[in-house]
């Protein structure tokens, strides 16, 4: 059927655009530069006509990167890049600045030096070269990214400064890379066991049908001047333009009438225009006036969107507005809701092939990151800073805190001295939005290979944001991945909803749209959803019961059903284990003694073994501490740990990761200090061999079986 087209999302306004190329190629900028500027940049020897043409092209590139065509940025003015504003010197500076920008953009994979610029610009502009180059370098407009040297090639940037960065999200990682290129000593402390913050790509699906799905940040919103586009170019990762066609469907699955859709889209944009006009006339709104209340009053005043279908269509656009602002319209300020519009990056919205995790992984390379480090206190003063994690203290010259606003609001990090009142007040005033997703992987792309987005209207205004928009990630994920978005008030209700019920609802929406086009639903889909996976993963909920779907009692009964299935599976596994294992194959102290004959790592009284088939730093292993003859300090530390006197000699054990074992080896001092670090800083407890066998028999078995056939040439000292 004929369905209307819609612009790529998210957008605060609905803007119609013509169809673009299927695959967006960021390297087209290289072609533009090469065509107009040439590969050698012989600026000194060009004719006047060539210079004018080149200067015009470089100005266009600078504009695409957010620079004004004939003026300075506010940051440039504050930096004093020219001695006098206006006039010939400023014009010359702008030409030089644009040339440097274009030069680096021609090859973002290598460091652009000041000397290279001097080769292509006349000597009479040397002072402007220095001013422009230094401004662009220090403000991150050139020489940034993932393929640049971790130490600066500029001797003048070498320094003894040290920085601790709290948080390994995009902000923390980009800062770490940049600071290291500036010559700083940097470490990053991350509370989670992975980097990336809200950028997280998950491998979903089953064998032969896996897909890489971005569960957090997923869309590069506006490719022009976007540094993530530069990272993609440096890594040669293709970008897929989110295509403009976005058909809308009614709650019953029928396509929306094209004429009504166009009319309501126009009304939506005019209402936003009226908000801006009214704000200008009144000199602003009161702080407690929400955008949602102003829009609704204007809708009633002009008498628009009266019919059910029109109101549902307007609700869809309002849901998209809530998505773009990551918040409910009732919570958005009518005065400040669009304050970031002037800085919105232009160009297409894009998906990154393989997921945004590829950018995170590249940014982490060469950066010292310590995971599982939840910061308790940040102390700062004239003599430096101290970041406290449990009983560990990290000291440096400066600290960069990149934790989310929610962490600051909860006051989970204590600042000594307390943050300034202005900053605390700003933290209190600021809000953060909520967006939820349902990620699904199907056997095939039933929604159409040529479709990246489609939307669905809601019957109720308070649920307008529930599954209002679907992103098809099949072009970049490697599988038939589909993501349903939940925004606004619906996103808040979503937080407390049963996941199985939500899955049932989103599948019902899809069936309503695609049933007439071959997406068939059968009664046994409930049974399939209820199947366990590998005897370890089980499912319950309203969407797993064919007899009582979407009911509370159905959910209750499905829980009882799965309890029975889990009990049965557990008994079966125990019986199979008894049948398959000979009685003399049990794990005992002799097994441990045999394994520790060839440790992976030894230092002092400490020995460590792990699975030799994996190099994952987070893989678990076993540490043995031998106490045969030790000093009083070590014995006292040991007795404090066990809270009772002990007779020597003896051997005690603990389970820890390979990374923790390596960090323990690097602790300076004797065995007593290392034991203190093990028990206090790492929070680990020592146990005897019997307790270890009971606690870690599975790990012991894994290490023992993995060593079979690998020979006995174990490492007896040094690093893993």
């Amino acid at each position: 059927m004929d369905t209307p087209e819609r612009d790529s999302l998210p957008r605060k306004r609905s803007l119609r655009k013509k169809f673009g190329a299927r695959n967006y190629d960021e390297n087209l900028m290289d072609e533009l530069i090469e065509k107009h500027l040439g590969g050698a940049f012989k600026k000194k020897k060009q004719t006047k006509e060539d210079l004018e043409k080149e200067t015009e092209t470089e100005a266009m590139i600078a504009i695409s990167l957010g620079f004004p065509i004939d003026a300075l940025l506010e940051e440039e003015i504050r930096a004093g890049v020219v001695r006098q504003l206006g006039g010939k010197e400023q014009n010359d500076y702008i030409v030089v600045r644009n040339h440097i920008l274009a030069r680096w953009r021609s090859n973002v994979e290598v460091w652009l030096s000041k000397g290279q610029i001097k080769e292509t610009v006349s000597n009479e502009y040397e002072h402007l070269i220095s001013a422009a180059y230094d401004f662009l370098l220090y403000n991150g407009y050139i020489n940034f990214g993932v393929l640049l040297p971790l130490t600066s090639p500029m001797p003048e940037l070498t320094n003894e400064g040290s920085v601790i960065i709290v948080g390994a999200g995009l902000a923390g990682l980009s800062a770490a890379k940049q600071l290291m290129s500036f010559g700083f000593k940097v470490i990053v402390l991350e509370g989670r066991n992975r980097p990336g913050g809200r950028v997280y790509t998950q491998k979903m699906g089953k064998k032969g049908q896996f897909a890489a799905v971005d569960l957090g940040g997923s869309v590069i919103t506006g490719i022009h001047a976007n540094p993530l586009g530069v990272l993609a170019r440096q890594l040669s990762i293709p970008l897929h333009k989110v295509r403009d066609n976005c058909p809308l469907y009614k709650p019953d699955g029928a396509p929306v009438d094209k004429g009504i859709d166009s009319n309501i889209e126009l009304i939506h944009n005019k209402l936003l225009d009226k908000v801006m006009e009214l704000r200008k006339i009144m000199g602003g709104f009161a702080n407690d006036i929400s955008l949602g209340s102003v829009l609704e009053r204007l809708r009633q005043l002009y008498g628009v969107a009266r019919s059910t279908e029109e109101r549902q269509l307007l609700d869809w656009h309002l849901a998209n507005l809530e998505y773009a602002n990551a918040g409910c319209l009732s919570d958005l300020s009518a005065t400040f809701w669009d304050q970031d519009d002037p800085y919105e990056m232009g160009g297409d919205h894009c998906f990154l092939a393989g997921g945004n995790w590829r950018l995170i992984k590249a940014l982490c390379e060469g950066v010292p990151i310590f995971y599982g480090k939840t910061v308790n206190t940040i102390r700062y003063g004239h003599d430096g800073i101290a970041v406290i994690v449990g009983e560990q203290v990290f000291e440096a010259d400066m600290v960069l805190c990149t934790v989310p606003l929610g962490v600051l609001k909860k006051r989970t990090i204590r600042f000594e001295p307390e943050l300034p009142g202005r900053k605390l007040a700003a933290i209190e005033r600021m809000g953060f939005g909520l967006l939820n997703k349902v990620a699904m992987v199907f056997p095939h792309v039933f929604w159409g290979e040529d479709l990246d987005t489609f939307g669905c209207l809601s019957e109720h205004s308070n649920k307008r944001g529930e599954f209002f928009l679907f992103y098809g990630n099949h072009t970049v994920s490697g599988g038939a991945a589909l993501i349903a978005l939940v925004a606004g008030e619906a996103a808040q209700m979503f937080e407390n909803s049963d996941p199985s019920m939500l899955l049932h609802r989103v599948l019902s929406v899809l069936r309503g749209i695609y049933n007439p086009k071959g997406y068939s639903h059968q009664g046994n889909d409930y049974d399939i959803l209820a199947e366990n996976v590998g005897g370890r993963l089980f499912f319950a909920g309203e969407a797993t019961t064919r007899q009582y779907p979407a009911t509370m009692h159905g959910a209750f009964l499905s829980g009882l059903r799965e309890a029975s299935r889990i009990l049965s599976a557990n008994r079966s596994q125990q019986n199979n284990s008894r049948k398959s294992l000979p009685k003399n194959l049990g794990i005992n102290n002799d097994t441990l003694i045999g394994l520790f004959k060839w440790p992976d790592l030894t230092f002092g009284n400490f020995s460590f073994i792990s699975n030799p088939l994996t190099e994952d730093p987070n893989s678990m292993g076993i540490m043995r501490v031998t106490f045969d003859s030790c000093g009083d300090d070590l014995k006292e530390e040991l007795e404090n740990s066990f809270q009772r006197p002990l007779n020597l000699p003896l051997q005690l054990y603990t389970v820890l990761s390979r990374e923790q074992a390596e960090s323990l080896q690097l602790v300076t001092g004797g065995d007593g200090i290392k034991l203190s670090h093990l028990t206090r800083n790492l929070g680990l407890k020592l146990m005897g061999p019997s307790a270890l066998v009971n606690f870690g028999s599975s790990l012991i078995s894994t290490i023992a079986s993995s060593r079979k056939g690998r020979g006995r040439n174990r490492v007896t000292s040094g690093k893993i």
Side-chain angles (χ1 to χ4, degrees), residues 581 585 587 591 595 609-613 697-711 714:
L581 292 177
L585 198 61
I587 300 298
T591 307
L595 290 174
I609 60 173
S610 62
N611 183 352
L613 300 182
S697 60
S698 176
L699 177 60
I700 298 171
S701 298
T702 299
I703 296 174
S705 62
S706 65
R707 285 191 171 186
K708 291 180 180 179
R710 300 274 296 185
R714 311 302 302 167

Side-chain angles (χ1 to χ4, degrees), residues 240 243 245-247 249 445 447-454 471-475 514:
H240 172 79
R243 290 165 288 193
N245 186 23
C246 180
Y249 298 92
V445 184
W447 57 92
E449 292 282 354
D450 59 345
L451 202 61
D452 291 326
T453 58
F454 59 91
Y471 272 128
N473 285 161
H474 53 286
T475 57
Y514 289 101

Side-chain angles (χ1 to χ4, degrees), residues 124 161 177 188 209:
E124 64 179 297
K177 282 283 191 183
V188 180
Q209 294 177 337

